[in-house]
């Protein structure tokens, strides 16, 4: 029997305050069984918001599948939402379809919502094998978690302990009508090859292969939960001086295996694609021990390592600096959006700091850094170059071009929210307008 009411209730409780359920419904046998089973258990569950069907357009039958899903939902009295996604050339169709599907699903899920998907025990076993073949490491071997964040809510997989045979038996016993996707037989795709060629051979020798592989994934996931808790404590002991950084000195004192785990854990905290083992090895063996004035830069698809002083920054890839021949005129009333730098400027009334209001009323010109700028900032008796000011505040070189400069009557009045010039700033007892610079991209 597929999931019980107690199993679904437990998943919802573990996920948090779940008030509505959505069901991802492709029209195939797995998702139809999940839809039917969830509908049957509805008196014991949070409200069922509806089913969501994603139209990929990969098959000539895609329109028929969409119509089928709508028809079944009408028969069951379930609200059905359909979304069409567009795939582009480049990335493999399997990966691209999966990414587009989850993006479309995430856009629907709101706080308090959970999306139920129909991945089952055999899918879990196949995922483990694929990850092992690709060198996925412990997190890959753990395969698919039963609970994961999605959009503003959660994704729940209640069928991970249910076999494909149990799903098939349930569908036939209840005389369900589902759509067959004939591309599932195309062994040019890795998962189909595993499903149709390798798994049958494994079952001939080990009939319980799918169940035991799925159990291995569950054991690995449980171990990772404990490891993550330990790594979180280690991350606190190896923090850099700046937010979301690691200390170069502290990492250098750790065994390579632990340092590698800490780097991967930090990537996970920042929701980044983890680097390949070769990138971490290069960082640990070469760049980590470079002279303090060096600024190593190692990048991989989805992220990059950068070093400044004793801090190791793990960033999403930074966009190229935009052109410097732009200017925004700003009255100071309301926010000022700077698309070239991906952020918003605001002014807030404060006492003892910020810009003099009478100067702001003359109008502000916002410009990028162009080189050669100097400023005498509050608290400093000397005129300094912008480079020196950034160095004193510990701003890494690659972030400096993303800080807007505020000019009043042709004079540099403020460096983002970092500093205000002595000429434009208020006295300790005066009311000023404090600059706030919020990055949005």
């Amino acid at each position: 029997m597929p999931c019980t009411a107690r199993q679904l209730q437990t998943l919802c409780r573990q996920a948090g305050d779940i008030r509505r359920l959505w069901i991802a419904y492709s029209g195939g046998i797995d998702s139809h069984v999940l839809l039917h089973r969830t509908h049957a258990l509805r008196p014991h569950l949070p409200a069922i918001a509806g089913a969501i069907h994603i139209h990929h357009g990969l098959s000539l039958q895609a329109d028929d599948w969409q119509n089928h899903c709508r028809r079944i939902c009408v028969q069951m009295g379930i609200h059905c939402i359909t979304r069409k996604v567009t795939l582009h050339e480049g990335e493999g169709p399997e990966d691209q379809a999966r990414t587009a599907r989850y993006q479309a699903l995430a856009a629907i899920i709101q706080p308090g919502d959970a999306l139920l998907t129909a991945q089952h025990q055999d899918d879990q076993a196949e995922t483990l094998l694929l990850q092992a073949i690709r060198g996925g490491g412990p997190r890959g071997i753990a395969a698919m978690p039963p609970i994961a964040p999605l959009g503003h809510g959660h994704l729940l997989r209640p069928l991970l302990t249910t076999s494909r045979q149990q799903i098939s038996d349930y569908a036939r016993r209840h005389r369900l009508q589902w759509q067959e996707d004939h591309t599932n037989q195309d062994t040019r795709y890795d998962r189909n090859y595993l499903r149709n060629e390798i798994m049958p051979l494994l079952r001939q020798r080990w009939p319980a292969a799918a169940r035991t592989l799925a159990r291995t994934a569950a054991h690995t996931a449980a171990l990772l939960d404990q490891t993550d808790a330990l790594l979180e404590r280690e991350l606190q002991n190896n923090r850099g001086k700046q937010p979301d950084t690691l200390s170069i000195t502290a990492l250098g004192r750790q065994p390579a295996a632990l340092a590698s785990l800490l780097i991967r854990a930090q990537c996970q905290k920042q929701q980044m694609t983890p680097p390949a083992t070769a990138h971490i090895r290069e960082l640990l063996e070469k760049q980590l021990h470079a002279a303090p004035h060096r600024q190593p830069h190692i990048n991989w698809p989805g992220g990059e390592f950068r070093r400044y002083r004793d801090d190791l920054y793990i960033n999403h890839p930074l966009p190229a600096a935009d052109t410097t021949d732009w200017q925004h005129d700003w009255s100071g009333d309301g926010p000022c959006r700077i698309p070239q730098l991906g952020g918003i400027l605001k002014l807030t009334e404060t006492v003892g700091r910020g810009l003099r209001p009478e100067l702001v009323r003359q109008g502000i010109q916002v410009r990028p850094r162009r080189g050669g700028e100097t400023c005498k900032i509050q608290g400093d008796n000397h005129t300094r170059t912008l480079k020196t000011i950034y160095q004193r505040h510990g701003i890494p070189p690659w972030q400096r071009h993303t800080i807007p400069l505020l000019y009043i009557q042709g004079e540099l009045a403020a460096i983002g929210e970092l500093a205000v010039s002595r000429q434009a700033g208020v006295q300790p007892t005066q009311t000023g307008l404090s600059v706030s610079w919020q990055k949005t991209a």
Side-chain angles (χ1 to χ4, degrees):
M1 174 69 71
C3 56
T4 65
R6 179 172 293 182
Q7 287 172 325
L8 272 169
Q9 290 167 350
T10 300
L11 277 180
C12 290
R13 185 170 60 253
Q14 291 173 342
D17 183 20
I18 302 300
R19 298 185 295 275
R20 297 195 308 173
L21 299 177
W22 294 91
I23 298 94
Y25 183 35
S26 69
I29 185 172
D30 303 334
S31 63
H32 196 158
V33 165
L34 178 61
L35 182 71
H36 186 274
R37 184 64 178 155
T38 307
H39 185 255
L41 297 174
R42 64 191 183 281
H44 310 286
L45 303 175
I48 297 178
I52 309 174
H53 175 80
I54 304 299
H55 184 307
H56 297 98
L58 288 174
S59 169
L60 296 176
Q61 300 172 287
D63 289 340
D64 293 336
W65 295 340
Q66 178 177 269
N67 294 333
H68 167 83
C69 290
R70 286 172 172 166
R71 184 172 63 254
I72 293 298
C73 287
V74 168
Q75 292 173 3
M76 299 177 68
I78 295 176
H79 177 54
C80 183
I81 291 179
T82 62
R83 291 288 186 271
K84 190 168 186 177
V85 297
T86 302
L87 307 184
H88 306 281
E89 295 182 3
E91 190 180 358
E94 281 183 298
D95 293 335
Q96 193 179 159
R98 181 183 182 281
T99 299
R101 179 168 64 252
Y102 278 103
Q103 287 176 345
L105 292 168
I108 296 171
I109 303 304
Q110 299 301 313
D113 288 356
L115 176 76
L116 307 185
T117 61
Q119 291 97 347
H120 49 71
Q121 190 177 82
D122 295 67
D123 293 326
Q124 187 76 314
E126 293 159 10
T127 300
L128 182 152
L129 290 175
L130 280 172
Q131 289 291 335
I133 290 168
R134 295 167 179 170
R139 207 162 294 280
I141 300 301
M144 297 177 286
I147 302 172
L150 180 69
H152 297 291
H154 289 84
L155 183 151
L156 307 182
R157 297 183 174 100
L159 300 183
L160 287 182
T161 58
T162 304
S163 70
R164 181 176 282 118
Q165 186 61 52
Q166 288 174 306
I167 288 173
S168 179
D169 292 344
Y170 181 95
R172 287 177 170 81
R173 185 164 63 252
H174 291 274
R175 298 180 181 179
L176 303 184
Q177 300 173 2
W178 63 87
Q179 298 291 306
E180 294 286 356
D181 185 353
H182 299 293
T183 62
N184 287 337
Q185 306 304 315
D186 188 346
T187 54
R188 290 177 299 176
Y189 299 122
D190 291 343
R191 185 175 288 274
N192 289 345
Y193 179 75
L194 267 177
R195 179 178 300 159
N196 298 311
E197 301 291 338
I198 303 303
M199 288 303 294
L201 292 175
L202 291 178
R203 287 194 187 91
Q204 286 180 20
R205 179 80 179 207
W206 300 285
R211 184 170 69 252
T212 54
L213 286 170
R215 188 188 306 148
T216 298
H219 290 329
T220 307
L223 181 60
L224 280 174
D225 286 342
Q226 298 301 315
T227 303
D228 287 344
L230 295 172
L231 282 176
E232 181 59 35
R233 290 200 290 270
E234 285 299 318
L235 281 175
Q236 298 304 320
N237 295 331
N238 290 269
R239 285 275 172 237
K241 293 182 179 179
Q242 299 301 320
D244 297 325
T245 66
L246 294 173
S247 164
I248 296 290
T249 301
L251 279 179
R253 291 195 294 260
Q254 304 298 344
L258 178 56
S260 177
L261 286 173
L262 290 171
I263 291 168
R264 291 185 183 278
Q266 185 63 35
C267 288
Q268 184 183 1
K269 283 178 68 72
Q270 295 176 218
Q271 299 182 345
M272 295 174 57
T273 302
T277 301
H279 292 119
I280 295 180
R281 186 184 301 119
E282 180 183 358
L283 177 73
L284 296 178
E285 293 180 356
K286 300 178 183 178
Q287 310 288 18
L288 205 63
H289 304 291
H293 67 277
R294 297 280 302 278
Q295 296 173 14
H297 177 203
I298 301 171
N299 65 300
W300 69 93
E304 60 185 11
F305 294 128
R306 290 178 182 266
R307 172 182 174 174
Y308 184 61
R309 296 177 176 170
D310 191 49
D311 292 329
L312 175 67
Y313 291 77
I314 306 176
N315 302 316
H316 290 280
L318 298 177
D322 207 329
T323 175
T324 59
D325 58 352
W326 57 264
Q327 175 176 303
H328 292 275
D329 294 323
W330 183 30
S331 67
D333 296 326
C336 178
R337 188 175 298 274
I338 313 294
Q340 294 88 349
L341 301 182
I344 299 174
L345 280 168
K346 295 180 182 178
L347 293 178
T348 305
E349 190 173 284
T350 54
V351 175
R353 58 193 179 92
L355 296 167
R356 288 158 51 196
E358 67 272 17
L359 288 180
V360 170
R361 286 193 287 270
Q362 297 179 23
I364 300 173
Q365 296 78 47
V366 185
R367 305 175 196 166
R369 183 187 185 193
R370 293 170 180 166
E373 294 91 349
T374 60
C375 186
K376 182 184 290 187
I377 64 174
Q378 284 187 318
D380 192 341
N381 293 323
H382 301 281
T383 299
R384 311 283 183 183
T385 65
L386 213 52
K387 178 180 178 180
T388 300
I389 295 171
Y390 284 144
Q391 288 175 335
R392 289 191 169 190
H393 283 82
I395 306 298
W398 62 88
Q399 293 181 2
R400 296 171 188 173
H401 75 276
T402 68
I403 299 175
L405 305 181
L406 284 67
Y407 287 80
I408 298 177
Q409 298 296 308
E411 296 293 329
L412 181 56
I415 306 166
E417 62 182 18
L418 198 65
V420 171
S421 73
R422 291 185 62 176
Q423 181 180 355
V426 297
Q427 297 300 313
T429 59
Q430 293 178 321
T431 298
L433 295 173
S434 182
V435 180
S436 169
W437 170 238
Q438 180 183 0
K439 294 286 286 182
T440 58

